[in-house]
Amino acid sequence: MDLTPQPLPPELERLLARFSGESWRERKQAVKDLQAALERVPPTPEVLVALLERLLDGLTSESVPARSTCHEMLVHLGSSGLAGALRRLQAGGRGARMYVDLLADIGKPEHVPLLAVVLQTATDDNVRASAAAALGAIGGPAAEAALKQALADSSDMLQLFALDALRSIGAALSVDLLLPRIDNAVTRRAATSLLGHSATPEALDLLVALLRDSMAGVRAAAAVALVTLDAALADQGKPDAVAAALAGSIDDAVRQRQRELVEHRQTEVKIAALELCRMTKDAGALRHVLSAMSDPVVRERAAGFVTALGAEAGPALMALAPSVGAATLGDLFVLIGALGPEVGPSDGPLIAVLVAGLEHPDPATACVAAGALGRVGDAAAFAPLVATLGAPDPLGEATAAALVVLTERHGPAAPAAAALLRGATTATGTRARNLCRVLGALGRGGDTRYVPPLVALLGAPEPLVRVAAARALGHIGGEHEGVTALCMVLHDGDAGVRAAACRSLGQVGAGAAVQALLGATTDDSAQVRAAAVHALVSLDNPVALARLREIVLADSSPSVVIPAIAGLGRGGGDLDLTLLMSLCGSTDHEVAKAAARGLVRFSAHRATAAVLGLLAHDRWDVRWAAAEVLAERGDLTALAPLRRVQALERDPLVRQVLAGAVARLEGLAAASDSELPA
C-alpha cells in the first residue's frame, strides 16, 4: 500500500501495512485490529491527524482492496476525517470520486451545496454518479432540490443519476415531470420507479401500461412502483385501486411476464410481482412461486399468497404435484399447508400427497409434510400421524406438534382424538415419549383430562418415557393428581426423572410440593438439587429461605448454589443482605456475579458498596454484571464512583455498560433535582 510516509507509532504502521493484504478476511481483521488499538490507546491529536491523512491518501491507492479498506476505516472514524476529505475534494485532482463516496457515508446536510456543484460541473460521469448517490444518501429538502435541478440538464446520464438518487430519497415527483423521462429509453427505468412515489391515481394507468414494456428492467420497476403506489392510495382511502386497474387491463401475455418476475434476481422485484399476482388472483403463478422459494422472503410471503388465492389454489397445486422433484417437495408441502383448515373432500389428493411425504427419506421434508398435515388434514389424518409418532426426532417431534394442532381443531372428543388418548397408556419407546409431548401440549390450558394417562406413563419401565411424562405434567397447571405423582417420582431411581419432576413442580406452581422439594435439595445428584432449588425459588415460599441459606453455605456445586443465591435476593432481610455481600468476594466468578445480581432489590447503601467493589474485578464479565446491577439499583451514591471507573476502564464493552449506568443515574439525579421545591 503506497501511502505517503508520516510519523506514526509502530503498531499503527504495522496495522496500516496489513490494509493491502491479499485476502478479504485479512483486511477485515486489520480494520478491526486498528479500531481496537485506537480504543485501547486513544491517539493524540497529532497522531490522529497523521493517521487520517494516511487513510485519505489510501483512497487513491493503486490497490482497489486497499482503497476499500481505507474507506471502511474512515467511515468508522466518522466526522473526524471530513475536513481532510473536503479539502482534497475542493482542491480537485485525483481521487474526487473516492472523496465523494466518503461523503455519501459520513456527509451532513451542510455538504449538500458542494455535492450539488460536483453533480453539475464534474466532467467524469463516475464522479457525477457518486455525487448524486451522496445527495440521495444525505437526503433532505436541499438535496432533493439539487437533484430535481439536475433533471433540467441536457445530459441523459446526469438525469439518470438524479432520478436514481431521488428514488432513494423517496421523492414525490409529478407525473408531468416524469413523462419526458419515461419517453427516453435511457431514463425510462429510473423514471418508472419514481412513478410509485407520486402517490397519485394519474400514475396508475401509465404503470399498468409499462408492465408491457419491451425492457425487462422497466417491467420490473413498474411492478415495484405499482406496489408502492398501492400502499399510498390505500392511505388515501382507495385500497383496491391498483387491483381494479390490473383486473381491467391485464392479458395473458402480461400475466406471464408478471409471473416470470416472481423469479427475478432482486428480492424487491420478486415480492412486488408476487403481490401483483395476489391482486389478480393468478393461481398460475404458483409454479413460479415454487421455483423462487429458496429466497426466504418469498418463502414467507408464499403462504400468504396461497391463502389469498383460496379455493383456486388447491387445483393449481394438485396440477403441480406430479412434476415436483424430490428436492422441492418440502416447498410444495409448505404451500399445501397454507391452504388452511378449509381444505375439503375435493382436496383429498393433496392430503394423500402429504401422507406420502411422511415417508420422505429427508427428515426435514417429512417434518414439513407432518406440519402441513396438522394444519389441513381431516379426521383421517390422525392414523398416519399416529403411525409416525415412533419416528426419531426431528420427525417424531414434528408429528407430535401436528397431532396437537389436529386435535385442537377437531376437538378432544372427536373419535380419532379419543382413540389417541386411550392408546397412550400402552405406548412404549419413542412413540410413548412423543405422546407425552402431545398430551402435555394439549393440557397447557389446564385441561386435566390429559393428566391420568401421563400419570400412568410416569410408571413406565423406560426412564426416558418417565422423563417425558414428568416434563409434560409440568405444562398442565393447577392442583391435580399429577402433583402428587410428581412428588412420589422424586424417589425414582433415575436422576433425570427426579430432576424433571422437580422442574415440573416448579412450573405447575404447586405450593403443596414445597416439603417434597426441600427434601430433594439433599439428593445425591447435583442435577436434581439444582432443579429442586430452581423450583423452590420459582414458588417463592418463605419457608424455603432457611434451606436456601444452608445450601449457599454448604453445597459444593455452583449449579446448585447460584440459583439459591437468586432466591435469597428475593428475601430482603438483613441476614440475606449480609450473606450476599460476603459472597461478592467469592473466588468463583459466577457466584460473585450471582451475588451482585441478588443485591438488586436491597435498598441499603452498603449493598451498593459491595457491588462497587466488583468493578475492580479481574474478569470483564463480573465488571459488566456489577455495572448493570448498579444501573438497575438506582442508588445515586454510586454515580461518582461509576464516573471514575468509566474513565479508567479499558474493555470497550464494559465501558459501554458503564456509560449506560452513568447516564441512567444522571437522569435519576436530574429528575430528583427537578422535584425539589424552588
Side-chain angles (χ1 to χ4, degrees), residues 8-19 30 33 37 40:
L8 287 174
E11 182 183 12
L12 300 188
E13 289 284 4
R14 178 178 57 80
L15 292 170
L16 278 179
R18 290 168 51 198
F19 272 35
D33 290 346
R40 189 169 56 252

Side-chain angles (χ1 to χ4, degrees), residues 426-615:
T426 59
T428 58
T430 305
R431 175 182 166 85
R433 297 200 300 273
N434 287 326
L435 269 172
C436 289
R437 285 171 168 163
V438 175
L439 300 177
L442 290 172
R444 284 184 190 276
D447 193 336
T448 57
R449 80 181 79 193
Y450 303 105
V451 170
L454 287 171
V455 169
L457 287 168
L458 276 177
E462 300 157 280
L464 289 178
V465 175
R466 300 200 299 276
V467 168
R471 287 176 177 169
L473 283 168
H475 297 310
I476 306 175
E479 298 288 345
H480 48 69
E481 63 177 300
V483 173
T484 303
L486 288 169
C487 289
M488 295 177 64
V489 168
L490 294 179
H491 301 288
D492 192 281
D494 185 90
V497 178
R498 300 197 301 275
C502 288
R503 286 190 288 268
S504 287
L505 286 169
Q507 285 179 254
V508 171
V514 169
Q515 292 302 321
L517 287 168
L518 285 171
T521 62
T522 62
D523 197 282
D524 292 339
S525 166
Q527 174 192 8
V528 177
R529 298 199 305 277
V533 170
H534 274 291
L536 286 168
V537 171
S538 67
L539 291 176
D540 201 16
N541 193 313
V543 172
L545 282 174
R547 177 57 187 148
L548 294 179
R549 294 183 193 112
E550 293 174 0
I551 290 168
V552 168
L553 294 171
D555 202 292
S556 60
S557 172
S559 66
V560 182
V561 171
I562 289 170
I565 291 173
L568 293 183
R570 299 183 178 188
D574 284 344
L575 184 60
D576 297 324
L577 171 59
T578 302
L579 181 54
L580 290 171
M581 289 175 61
S582 68
L583 290 171
C584 285
S586 172
T587 55
D588 187 311
H589 67 275
E590 292 295 342
V591 171
K593 285 194 294 185
R597 293 183 177 122
L599 288 169
V600 165
R601 298 187 181 187
F602 291 84
S603 59
H605 292 313
R606 55 197 179 110
T608 300
V611 181
L612 282 170
L614 291 175
L615 293 175

Side-chain angles (χ1 to χ4, degrees), residues 300-386:
E300 180 184 343
R301 302 288 185 92
F305 176 56
V306 169
T307 303
L309 289 176
E312 297 178 24
L317 288 172
M318 194 60 237
L320 285 175
S323 61
V324 175
T328 55
L329 262 180
D331 296 333
L332 176 66
F333 297 158
V334 168
L335 296 180
I336 296 173
L339 288 167
E342 292 77 19
V343 173
S346 62
D347 296 300
L350 286 177
I351 303 299
V353 169
L354 294 177
V355 171
L358 293 175
E359 300 180 6
H360 196 281
D362 175 35
T365 302
C367 286
V368 178
L373 201 54
R375 287 189 292 276
V376 303
D378 56 14
F382 272 93
L385 284 172
V386 170

